Amino acid sequence: MYEHAQSTTPRAWTVRALALLSAVIIGLIPWADNAAAHGSIVDPAARAYSCHDRWGHDHLNPAMAQQDPMCWQAWQTDPNAMWNWNGLYRDNVGGNHQAAVPDGQLCSGGNTQNGRYRAMDAVGNWHATDISNNFTMRLLDHASHGADYFRVYVTRQGFDPTTQQLRWSDLELVRETGRYAPAQNISFSVNASGRTGRHIVYTVWQASHMDQSYYFCSDVNFR
């Protein structure tokens, strides 16, 4: 049985419109691949999506170095990681995520795509989304891949994402979903009770169209 995607909210329509606009703009950039082909967690925003969403229109602005240093280093390392914010996946993992994605490389999906997303693993003060312990995850999936499941982990209380490299042992599984039918917008609720302050929400999205696994680090601040 499929779980049901929640109805599209006005905010979701806004996210979709912005994403489609960005896809059009990306098509005009010669070094970008086809970023309209896959998907990403957009709320709380995964790192590549967050950097693109906030700086894609102004990514050459040197003020980013002071205002948003983690996104700055990511743009400097490989701008294609942001233009292709929805391409952070690995094929043929066979469900063995911990073997495919080693400690210290969780946010880059094990340096997937020839290391394109390696800057996502950098430790520092990434821009964080303020959320409550009960929150909603939202996936934007242009290709409507559907999902065999989502696994959502949250770092244990006491982990400091601004100074510590992320390992599997730092994560606690807080939600595993059932299947979702193909849709461009999928959302589901998550409970991460007992957390306060800065954390990483780590999401594994197992797409259902083929053995394709996506890995997302979302920086959050539990209020």
Side-chain angles (χ1 to χ4, degrees):
M1 295 294 292
Y2 288 118
E3 295 199 21
H4 294 290
Q6 294 180 2
S7 60
T8 304
T9 63
R11 180 176 180 181
W13 280 112
T14 300
V15 169
R16 179 187 294 184
L18 290 173
L20 292 175
L21 178 60
S22 70
V24 172
I25 294 172
I26 289 165
L28 302 176
I29 299 172
W31 62 82
D33 293 337
N34 181 10
H38 303 290
S40 177
I41 295 295
V42 298
D43 190 14
R47 286 178 175 176
Y49 175 81
S50 179
C51 288
H52 177 269
D53 185 49
R54 287 178 294 107
W55 292 100
H57 65 291
D58 198 22
H59 66 283
L60 298 178
N61 188 341
M64 191 195 325
Q66 297 299 320
Q67 297 176 16
D68 198 347
M70 299 312 295
C71 279
W72 174 256
Q73 63 84 30
W75 282 101
Q76 301 308 301
T77 299
D78 192 338
N80 277 326
M82 275 64 66
W83 298 127
N84 295 276
W85 49 265
N86 49 12
L88 206 166
Y89 64 88
R90 301 184 71 90
D91 290 329
N92 304 314
V93 171
N96 197 354
H97 303 293
Q98 293 193 36
V101 181
D103 287 345
Q105 298 178 13
L106 275 70
C107 298
S108 68
N111 275 331
T112 192
Q113 309 297 323
N114 296 315
R116 170 184 287 169
Y117 299 95
R118 62 191 181 278
M120 303 301 111
D121 291 317
V123 177
N125 189 20
W126 289 86
H127 178 84
T129 302
D130 288 335
I131 61 174
S132 65
N133 290 125
N134 294 290
F135 62 98
T136 299
M137 302 289 296
R138 294 186 175 89
L139 175 83
L140 176 62
D141 175 14
H142 290 108
S144 298
H145 290 321
D148 286 346
Y149 58 81
F150 294 89
R151 290 178 184 165
V152 182
Y153 302 80
V154 180
T155 47
R156 56 180 172 75
Q157 191 66 24
F159 176 81
D160 185 354
T162 68
T163 62
Q164 294 176 260
Q165 197 169 56
L166 185 63
R167 305 167 301 174
W168 285 102
S169 60
D170 297 316
L171 297 170
E172 297 175 345
L173 181 66
V174 296
R175 175 76 197 272
E176 180 167 356
T177 75
R179 299 181 66 199
Y180 283 89
Q184 289 199 348
N185 290 276
I186 295 175
S187 59
F188 53 91
S189 60
V190 177
N191 180 278
S193 60
R195 268 89 172 176
T196 58
R198 289 292 299 270
H199 284 270
I200 294 173
V201 175
Y202 189 67
T203 306
V204 178
W205 164 34
Q206 184 65 42
S208 59
H209 71 299
M210 61 179 291
D211 185 1
Q212 194 169 80
S213 307
Y214 293 75
Y215 305 94
F216 306 112
C217 281
S218 300
D219 297 276
V220 301
N221 181 51
F222 287 107
R223 299 188 299 267

